[in-house]
Every structure is written in C-alpha cells, then in structure tokens.
Amino acid sequence: MSQPIPLTDLAALRLHRRRAQSAPALFLHEAVRDEVQDRLAMITKTFKAPAIVTPFPQVWRDSWPEARILDDGEVLDLDEGAHDLVVHCLALHWANDPVGQLIQCRRALMPDGLCLTLAFGGQTLHELRSVLGQAEIEVTGGLSPRVAPMGEIRDLGGLLQRAGLALPVADSMPLRVSYGSALGLMQDLRAMAENNALSARLRKPTRRAVLLRAAELYAATYGDADGRIPATFDIIVLTGWAPDASQPKPLRPGSAAARLADALGTRETPLSD
C-alpha cells in the first residue's frame, strides 16, 4: 500500500527558511515573544529549565539565554521530563503531525510543567487568500493549493487534550498589519519563510498576471482611503500543563455542600416530569 503524501514538503520549507535568514521579517515572532513574556509574568511560578521551538532562534536568544532553543523538526530534540516550560512558536501550521508535536512537548515537561503553543489560526491572511484564489481563477481558469491549513480556535484547543495536557485553554491574539500593497505583503511573507511549501503546490512560479490581478483585487476590496491594505494574522495561544497531582480537579457530581439557589438568593422551582 502506498504511503500518503505529507501535507508539507519539508525540503522546500527548509530551503525557504535558509533563504529568509539573509534578511528575515521577524516582527510577528518578536510580537509573539513579547506576548509569551507578558503571560509568564502573570504566572506565580518561576521557570528554570525552558525550551523554545522556533524557526528563528535569533528572536529568543538574547532575552532567553538560559533556554534550550531548537527547530521544529518532525522529531523534536527534547529529552523526556527535562523542562518546566516548552514554548512552540509559529510553526505548528507546517507540521505534518501537529498532535505529535504537542505530544513531544508534553513528554519533555516535568510534572506541572507548562506548554505554551502559539499558532496561526484560521482567519490568518483571509484577505490575501480570497483575492489570490479569485485572481487565479480569472487568469488561469483553475485553483492551486497555496495555503497551509490553519485550524479555528476550537479545533486547535482540542489538540491540547489529545496531546494529554491538563487544564487546557485556547484564546486568540489577533494582529492587523498595514501594507502599501499586496506585493509588499507577499515580499514580507517570503522574508518570514511563509511562502508556499505544500507538497501539492504547483512546481512552477506563479504567473505575474495572477499576482498583479490579486494586488488589484486586494486594493479594491480591502484598501483604505490612503491606498493601504490590511493583513490579518490570527494568532491562537494554546496553554496546557503536564498532569500533576497538585493541580485543581473538578468535584464529583453530587458533592456540593450548598444549594445553588441559596447562593443566588432565588427560589428553586422543580421541573415537571
């Protein structure tokens, strides 16, 4: 039986990342790093053995000199139970096995260790995806795979439980960026190594007519009075903890010591059969 084709062409992804290193666009990764620091500042716990999974280690190196920083290979270079914090940063959408990535992060945690995953959500670049699809249909009469699947917040939150993480929480951190044109946005995406690395992509450059038509549609549909266009980056923050006996647990059904009606100061009305 033939093996299924992986979603991501990892060789192409590595090539894009090597090219991006010469002049990378790092503002999203820097924003996410700052968000991680803000969230950890609100936790009454000191993390002494952090690990960070990222395609751009230079973003984290100066502010996290004590951290183990590694790339997001299919097998993460993490020792079991070695870390009290694992941060997985803006790489989950390229993983051929996203649940496997989170399972590896969970296994690397000490009991009651924290896993923070920041991933692109389903509304990311919805403007660009829409106009590129329309432009390609108009110019070529067809539609090719261009964008890695990015889950909605409910779907991504469910990955935490599948990975065996406790106390799962998922919330969003939307960012909107302004560009002079859609072509400027596309240049930045290449500098982020976020250009097309799907295994099913067309293996030839996108026709210039498609890109120019997409830029026209973008400006006409989303442009403001100054001629600038917005780009949405929907960043989902997933928080989960390695299970530990010290963590709070839900009470057993029927174990309440007081009636809810008494707490609310209201009268309880029995339901009819």
Side-chain angles (χ1 to χ4, degrees):
M1 191 170 83
S2 61
Q3 293 293 321
I5 298 174
L7 175 71
T8 299
D9 180 345
L10 296 178
L13 180 62
R14 287 191 292 268
L15 176 61
H16 294 165
R17 288 176 174 175
R18 285 198 301 271
R19 289 175 174 170
Q21 292 294 346
S22 60
L26 300 177
F27 64 90
L28 287 179
H29 289 264
E30 290 166 350
V32 162
R33 176 201 61 201
D34 296 343
E35 180 71 12
V36 168
Q37 291 173 323
D38 288 345
R39 287 174 181 251
L40 293 180
M42 294 186 289
I43 297 175
T44 57
K45 179 173 181 170
T46 301
F47 297 98
K48 298 179 180 179
I52 300 169
V53 181
T54 172
F56 292 103
Q58 64 268 42
V59 173
W60 300 84
R61 205 171 278 133
D62 291 341
S63 53
W64 293 71
E66 76 284 11
R68 174 167 176 72
I69 302 178
L70 60 146
D71 66 28
D72 58 317
E74 290 192 301
V75 178
L76 300 177
D77 188 15
L78 293 170
D79 293 330
E80 185 171 354
H83 301 282
D84 53 8
L85 170 67
V86 177
V87 179
H88 199 294
C89 179
L90 297 186
L92 199 65
H93 59 297
W94 288 123
N96 285 317
D97 182 9
V99 177
Q101 289 278 304
L102 295 182
I103 289 173
Q104 291 180 73
C105 292
R106 191 256 300 162
R107 287 177 176 167
L109 289 171
M110 305 171 184
D112 202 35
L114 173 62
C115 178
L116 262 179
T117 301
L118 299 103
F120 288 121
Q123 294 304 305
T124 296
L125 296 176
H126 67 88
E127 308 95 342
L128 180 62
R129 289 151 51 189
S130 173
V131 299
L132 268 176
Q134 184 178 341
E136 189 172 20
I137 290 171
E138 288 182 14
V139 174
T140 71
L143 192 62
S144 61
R146 292 186 175 275
V147 181
M150 291 172 280
E152 299 297 336
I153 188 168
R154 181 189 299 270
D155 302 323
L156 291 172
L159 298 183
L160 295 170
Q161 291 176 307
R162 291 178 62 188
L165 289 159
L167 308 176
V169 176
D171 63 275
S172 63
M173 171 191 162
L175 294 175
R176 281 173 67 86
V177 183
S178 173
Y179 284 91
S181 72
L183 297 179
L185 167 59
M186 294 177 203
Q187 290 174 350
D188 252 11
L189 292 176
R190 286 192 290 271
M192 298 176 196
E194 293 298 340
N195 39 330
N196 195 347
L198 295 175
S199 295
R201 72 191 185 282
L202 291 178
R203 301 306 175 102
K204 58 183 179 181
T206 299
R207 289 169 57 177
R208 181 172 176 80
V210 173
L211 299 179
L212 293 178
R213 179 57 179 151
E216 290 176 359
L217 291 168
Y218 209 134
T221 307
Y222 301 104
D224 62 19
D226 297 324
R228 297 186 66 80
I229 53 107
T232 300
F233 294 93
D234 176 25
I235 298 173
I236 307 300
V237 184
L238 306 176
T239 306
W241 296 81
D244 185 69
S246 66
Q247 293 167 349
K249 295 176 177 59
L251 295 174
R252 298 189 325 276
S255 62
R259 296 168 65 247
L260 180 60
D262 294 339
L264 296 176
T266 187
R267 180 178 178 182
E268 186 176 10
T269 303
L271 295 175
S272 59
D273 293 337

